Amino acid sequence: MFVQELAPLGSLGLSALVAALPLATVLVLLGAVRLKAHVAGLLGLAVAALVAVIVFGMPVGQTISGAVQGAAFGLFPIMWIVVNALWIYRLTVRTGHFDVLRRSFGRISDDPRIQALIIAFCFGGLMEALAGFGAPVAISTVMLVALGFAPVKAAIVALVANTAPVAFGAMGTPVVTLAQVTGLPLESVSSIVGRQTPLLAVVVPLLLVLIVDGRRGLRETWAPALACGLAFGFVQFLASNYVSAQLADIGAALAGVAAVMLVPSARRPARAEVKASVLTGSATESFDGEDNRGDVVKAYAPYLLIILIFSIGQLPPVKKLLDSATWKFDWPFLDVAAANGKPVSGNTFSLPLLSTGGTLVLLAGIVTAVVLKVKLADTAREWGATVHELRFAILTVTSVLALAYVMNLSGQTTTIGNLIAGAGGALAFLSPILGWFGVAVSGSDTSANALFGALQVTAANQAGFSPDLLASANSSGGVLGKMISPQNLTIACAAAQLTGQEGNLLRKVLPWSIGLLLVMCLIVAGQASFLSWMLP
């Protein structure tokens, strides 16, 4: 048995400084050297393994075994979810039904402020729910430019809109990862994140109409913007707390669109002066005309199928049946105990073969292929193309999770957490900043949760805070770093054909990112004290 040490170098501060080297390596290589994320992840993993063996005394065999376990979790269930979700999106693009869905949204209103709400916030939220990993920013930016938005404004709107849905993106991947690396129940972290990010959802649509048309936009369209945010946030809260983390963003996005359509002012034709001042670009697409009703139904079918299948999967008899296919076993060549001598949870591994979100999404994808009449060979070809498209994302996620597992199992995370706990009462206020920083550098709430989730739990336990709260704050704070991450800025520039203007976009969205982060810090600090009634 390998027993973790809190201060292998005799000093907690010095030990924590050395333990932070793998994280520092990843962050510097990404942020300063600007290496590809998968290269930075692999180099960070190498540093984590060296520190684990040389400084913390973890046997080489157990270090390798821990890294393999982390990579295995990165493949299943994490990337299993992402691959199958993006596969469904590719099927709709292949058959042309994605364009039908896009036109359906575009016809709701010709007011560019309302279009920003529907396309960037609601439709972008739907794309975040299904695909994540930059897809919502790219797709929303292209659609807004096609409508006549200036490229810079389209990119800014898409970036700012890609906040509230992120924690539950890619079928709940960030919170699923957070639960796994911290050992906390998924239901617990999902419910707390679902009591934090919905508050952002109320604010962000108002910011979007302000960005699109200034104070006039806020004055004239606050009602549909507020209705959109309230509906999105309320459904996200309900789904994440009482239904399923995987369904939170899908339901919220559809509710947001429905709320906008129910506000009479949102359906009024836009005044000429509004269009003239906002749509300074050249529209490349028209949403005039009608699509066949059957095609419209088919365009919505994949998302309705996902909701239906996940809902059926939550029924107690079905859930019990699916859970019965979960395989739990002792991970080979791994025998680790915490500093107190108790075995750590990482010694065992769980494979939820049927109950995992990726398998349910796969089933929805198969039914989608049947509904959209995609040939079997083409369906399989699109799945293979999806894996190829995500190959570097797969390598990044597996390497980052391998790094996180090595740090957690060797005791590096515990050592850093014990040192950070010295922040005392300020820890609750500061905890979202750690997640924000992680996402700003890595571009992924999933990666930031893998890197810092266990650290937040350790610090919370030492400082006397709720570990569930601070772990959840890592994910909720992280969503606000998404808009300033180099990865997302590059995607937005590519989609809007703004080559080399990442710095300009960063300067424009950074104030919104910091301002919303401050709001989240205040929310978490309040929930740790006088707003504790908000927690489950």
Side-chain angles (χ1 to χ4, degrees), residues 59-447:
V60 174
Q62 296 210 49
T63 302
I64 295 174
S65 179
V68 172
Q69 182 185 163
F73 177 70
L75 290 173
F76 190 97
I78 299 305
M79 293 310 297
W80 178 239
I81 298 172
V82 176
V83 166
N84 289 324
L86 191 58
W87 170 56
I88 291 179
Y89 162 69
R90 289 180 63 98
L91 289 176
T92 64
V93 171
R94 182 185 183 92
T95 60
H97 289 92
F98 175 77
D99 291 329
V100 175
L101 184 68
R102 184 169 64 174
R103 288 193 291 271
S104 175
F105 283 130
R107 291 192 193 98
I108 295 174
S109 172
D110 68 344
D111 190 321
R113 300 164 300 188
I114 303 301
Q115 290 171 342
L117 295 176
I118 294 170
I119 294 173
F121 188 70
C122 297
F123 190 53
L126 188 63
M127 288 296 97
E128 180 67 39
L130 295 177
F133 292 89
V137 171
I139 294 168
S140 298
T141 301
V142 168
M143 291 176 68
L144 292 173
V145 170
L147 285 170
F149 278 69
V152 172
K153 183 166 287 188
I156 293 171
V157 168
L159 286 166
V160 174
N162 190 221
T163 48
V166 169
F168 297 103
M171 305 307 295
T173 297
V175 291
V176 170
T177 303
L178 181 64
Q180 179 69 19
V181 300
T182 59
L184 299 172
L186 174 60
E187 294 77 12
S188 177
V189 294
S190 172
S191 63
I192 295 178
V193 172
R195 295 163 191 243
Q196 294 170 343
T197 57
L199 300 176
L200 292 177
V202 176
V203 176
V204 170
L206 295 170
L207 293 182
L208 294 180
V209 296
L210 180 65
I211 292 170
V212 171
D213 194 30
R215 280 182 278 184
R216 178 181 63 184
L218 187 60
R219 184 176 63 252
E220 294 181 355
T221 55
W222 67 268
L226 184 60
C228 178
L230 287 172
F232 189 104
F234 183 63
V235 172
Q236 190 183 63
F237 160 73
L238 289 179
S240 60
N241 276 263
Y242 305 111
V243 183
S244 166
Q246 289 90 344
L247 287 177
D249 280 348
I250 296 178
L254 297 178
V257 172
V260 171
M261 295 175 66
L262 290 174
V263 178
S265 61
R267 299 193 299 273
R268 294 172 189 158
R271 300 195 312 277
E273 60 266 28
V274 172
K275 287 187 174 182
S277 63
V278 176
L279 301 179
T280 54
S282 300
T284 60
E285 182 169 343
S286 172
F287 290 106
D288 294 334
E290 293 291 335
D291 286 301
N292 179 279
R293 181 173 296 180
D295 286 336
V296 173
V297 171
K298 288 180 180 179
Y300 283 90
Y303 314 106
L304 297 176
L305 283 169
I306 290 174
I307 295 173
L308 177 63
I309 290 172
F310 271 85
S311 299
I312 292 174
Q314 295 302 309
L315 297 175
V318 179
K319 184 175 176 58
K320 184 177 180 180
L321 178 63
L322 295 176
D323 288 341
S324 66
T326 299
W327 181 28
K328 295 182 180 180
F329 57 93
D330 292 330
W331 189 261
F333 311 113
L334 200 61
D335 189 9
V336 179
N340 59 11
K342 296 181 179 180
V344 300
S345 60
N347 291 326
T348 60
F349 193 74
S350 177
L351 277 175
L353 299 174
L354 295 181
S355 61
T356 185
T359 302
L360 297 178
V361 174
L362 176 65
L363 176 59
I366 293 172
V367 179
T368 294
V370 174
V371 171
L372 300 186
K373 298 181 180 179
V374 184
K375 295 179 180 178
L376 180 61
D378 292 335
T379 301
R381 193 175 295 113
E382 285 298 332
W383 196 91
T386 303
V387 173
H388 183 266
E389 180 183 341
L390 290 173
R391 62 193 184 282
F392 293 120
I394 292 171
L395 187 54
T396 299
V397 170
T398 52
S399 62
V400 167
L401 279 161
L403 179 155
Y405 269 59
V406 169
M407 290 189 66
N408 294 345
L409 291 167
S410 66
Q412 296 173 59
T413 300
T414 304
T415 298
I416 299 172
N418 274 268
L419 183 68
I420 291 178
L427 185 60
F429 181 85
L430 298 174
S431 59
I433 298 177
L434 194 59
W436 174 83
F437 182 70
V439 176
V441 174
S442 70
S444 166
D445 201 35
T446 299
S447 296

